[in-house]
Amino acid sequence: ASSSPYPSFSWNSVPGATLYQLHITPESTWTGGQTVNVTGTQYTWASALPEQTYRWRVRAYLNGQWADWSTGRLLTIDTSPTLIAPANTITTNNAPPTFAWQSAPGATQYQLHVTSASSWTGGLTVSTGNTNWTWTNNLSNLTYRWRVRAYVNGQWSKWSTGRLLTVDARPT
């Protein structure tokens, strides 16, 4: 998986090759997609790829003709942020917790979703340009679910894997 919408590809050189073609497609067959000519054995995709799974392959140009395509490989673009804190299933007495996540490459905005529901319905969704957010009021003594997504290249990523947080701010 690549957390960047601009993935880098590399392959072994073929003795005598003067050029390579890199073919990438979201299709289940090789009929669609995009092909670029590359003079070396690595290439970083120049335009942002949307989140999904792609197939890619390479072929070499030698002795005046194109060789057969390599065996295809899979690449999944997933720009959803990785959660940092609070840790999953932790119980805290810090009623206004701080939520933190790793930055997603190219992200300009994030949405944090927190709910006390057993599913992802309802709750609060907050937009921020930062990679953390502190709840401004004390939370009730409940178990909460939280997750984050990133806004990258004009679209929202998938939501991160959710975490559970139990708040128990009762005096001990």
Side-chain angles (χ1 to χ4, degrees):
S2 174
S3 62
S4 172
Y6 304 94
S8 293
F9 301 89
S10 63
W11 52 90
N12 294 327
S13 64
V14 175
T18 56
L19 190 65
Y20 297 91
Q21 278 189 330
L22 169 63
H23 180 212
I24 183 169
T25 180
E27 307 298 324
S28 59
T29 65
W30 292 106
T31 57
Q34 299 176 52
T35 302
V36 293
N37 291 335
V38 182
T39 56
T41 58
Q42 58 186 10
Y43 182 78
T44 299
W45 204 258
S47 58
L49 293 173
E51 282 193 327
Q52 65 184 45
T53 298
Y54 296 88
R55 294 170 45 164
W56 68 278
R57 61 186 179 171
V58 176
R59 67 179 176 177
Y61 188 77
L62 57 136
N63 302 322
Q65 63 185 4
W66 289 107
D68 292 336
W69 288 104
S70 66
T71 302
R73 294 187 176 189
L74 294 178
L75 167 71
T76 300
I77 304 293
D78 182 359
T79 58
S80 59
T82 300
L83 305 181
I84 297 174
N88 194 27
T89 67
I90 194 169
T91 298
T92 181
N93 62 1
N94 186 8
T98 296
F99 299 92
W101 51 92
Q102 290 180 347
S103 63
T108 56
Q109 191 81 5
Y110 299 93
Q111 282 187 335
L112 166 68
H113 180 209
V114 180
T115 181
S116 60
S118 60
S119 67
W120 289 109
T121 58
L124 175 71
T125 301
V126 179
S127 294
T128 179
N130 299 320
T131 55
N132 61 66
W133 190 78
T134 301
W135 203 274
T136 54
N137 299 316
N138 285 346
L139 291 176
S140 299
N141 293 331
L142 294 170
T143 297
Y144 296 88
R145 299 163 56 97
W146 69 283
R147 62 186 179 172
V148 176
R149 65 181 179 175
Y151 193 71
V152 180
N153 296 310
Q155 65 183 19
W156 287 105
S157 71
K158 294 181 268 184
W159 287 102
S160 65
T161 301
R163 286 191 176 177
L164 295 175
L165 167 69
T166 300
V167 174
D168 186 354
R170 294 176 291 192
T172 55

